[in-house]
Amino acid sequence: MANFEQFHCDFYQSNYNIDDQEDYNTCDSSGNRKSQIADRPLAGAFVPSEMLLPSQSYTGQILQPTVPYGSNISCADGFDEEPPLLEELGINFEHIWQKTLTVLNPMKPADGSIMNETDLTGPVVFCLALGATLLLAGKVHFGYVYGVSVTGCITMHALLNLMSITGVSYGCVASVLGYCLLPMVILSSSAAIFSLHGILGTLLALFVIGWCSLSASKIFTTALAMEGQQLLIAYPCALLYGLFALLAVF
């Protein structure tokens, strides 16, 4: 019997202390029970050195986080290094102006690096301007303008890919043909002022067709390195711009 009592005492022997029960039963002012033992480590347990250090207060400002010591990162530098919004959208006013001057002056040599870009800002503006000037003359031909433009771009794209070695993208063809539409806008503007049904109007239309086709063929030969083939490219371009001239005259 004595052995059983000794076994009974040894079996229920633990490190439990009556003081710990008070810690479990403590409550805050609102009546919610909280544990204080959970906040402190157990005896003999491993505690990291970071937990033993005193807590550091936050020294930054609102919406301005503190920068780690020794780092040279600045929030303003990140915004300064970002490109402008127009550049991200592919709109470069300097290149648009250079392409416009190249079209207006057919004798000016073209820059192949700029002309090979797929810039559609100028072509869309010139197509809208052509439709608006035709509207001033009492001709609602917006559908014809876009229909002829898309058909001409597809045809010229297929033709240039057969003639050139390097090949050309559809965006580049649409960009060049759209920029060279600027003289046709001048022709449609003159149609709103005086009639083009006479000999003067026919001569002016032929001059504008030659102007557009010469500028487009020059840009294509420069961008695609097709020396000696300018006349071959100018002929289908003249046919395309002749359709726009018919819309402006009649």
Side-chain angles (χ1 to χ4, degrees), residues 73-126:
I73 302 175
S74 178
C75 298
D77 296 339
F79 291 104
D80 294 339
E81 295 177 357
E82 291 184 357
L85 178 60
L86 294 178
E87 185 177 349
E88 292 183 354
L89 296 176
I91 301 175
N92 194 333
F93 289 104
E94 183 179 358
H95 290 181
I96 293 174
W97 178 247
Q98 291 180 5
K99 292 179 182 179
T100 304
L101 293 179
T102 304
V103 172
L104 293 176
N105 186 8
M107 302 303 172
K108 178 183 178 181
D111 189 359
S113 60
I114 297 178
M115 297 303 169
N116 204 13
E117 296 178 353
T118 58
D119 176 26
L120 299 179
T121 305
V124 171
V125 172
F126 293 154

Side-chain angles (χ1 to χ4, degrees), residues 33-183:
R33 183 180 300 274
K34 61 180 181 178
S35 174
Q36 296 180 358
I37 299 179
D39 296 335
R40 63 185 183 184
L42 298 175
F46 174 75
V47 180
S49 59
E50 291 81 0
M51 297 179 60
L52 299 178
L53 296 177
S55 60
Q56 298 178 358
S57 60
Y58 180 73
T59 58
Q61 298 180 359
I62 299 177
L63 300 180
Q64 293 183 0
T66 56
V67 180
Y69 178 77
S71 62
N72 297 325
I73 302 175
S74 178
C75 298
D77 296 339
F79 291 104
D80 294 339
E81 295 177 357
E82 291 184 357
L85 178 60
L86 294 178
E87 185 177 349
E88 292 183 354
L89 296 176
I91 301 175
N92 194 333
F93 289 104
E94 183 179 358
H95 290 181
I96 293 174
W97 178 247
Q98 291 180 5
K99 292 179 182 179
T100 304
L101 293 179
T102 304
V103 172
L104 293 176
N105 186 8
M107 302 303 172
K108 178 183 178 181
D111 189 359
S113 60
I114 297 178
M115 297 303 169
N116 204 13
E117 296 178 353
T118 58
D119 176 26
L120 299 179
T121 305
V124 171
V125 172
F126 293 154
C127 285
L128 291 175
L130 180 60
T133 51
L134 289 175
L135 186 61
L136 293 177
K139 304 172 184 179
V140 186
H141 292 330
F142 286 98
Y144 290 104
V145 170
Y146 284 106
V148 172
S149 300
V150 172
T151 305
C153 290
I154 294 175
T155 306
M156 289 298 300
H157 177 260
L159 182 62
L160 291 174
N161 281 327
L162 293 175
M163 296 177 62
S164 63
I165 300 176
T166 58
V168 63
S169 62
Y170 180 80
C172 179
V173 174
S175 177
V176 173
L177 294 178
Y179 273 103
C180 295
L181 199 64
L182 179 59

Side-chain angles (χ1 to χ4, degrees), residues 153-231:
C153 290
I154 294 175
T155 306
M156 289 298 300
H157 177 260
L159 182 62
L160 291 174
N161 281 327
L162 293 175
M163 296 177 62
S164 63
I165 300 176
T166 58
V168 63
S169 62
Y170 180 80
C172 179
V173 174
S175 177
V176 173
L177 294 178
Y179 273 103
C180 295
L181 199 64
L182 179 59
M184 200 61 60
V185 177
I186 300 174
L187 178 64
S188 61
S189 301
S190 61
I193 300 174
F194 56 89
S195 177
L196 299 176
H197 293 283
I199 299 176
L200 180 61
T202 303
L203 294 177
L204 182 60
L206 292 176
F207 173 75
V208 171
I209 291 172
W211 186 0
C212 294
S213 60
L214 182 61
S215 299
S217 60
K218 177 193 65 176
I219 295 175
F220 280 132
T221 53
T222 303
L224 302 177
M226 300 172 61
E227 291 80 4
Q229 302 182 18
Q230 184 174 358
L231 294 178

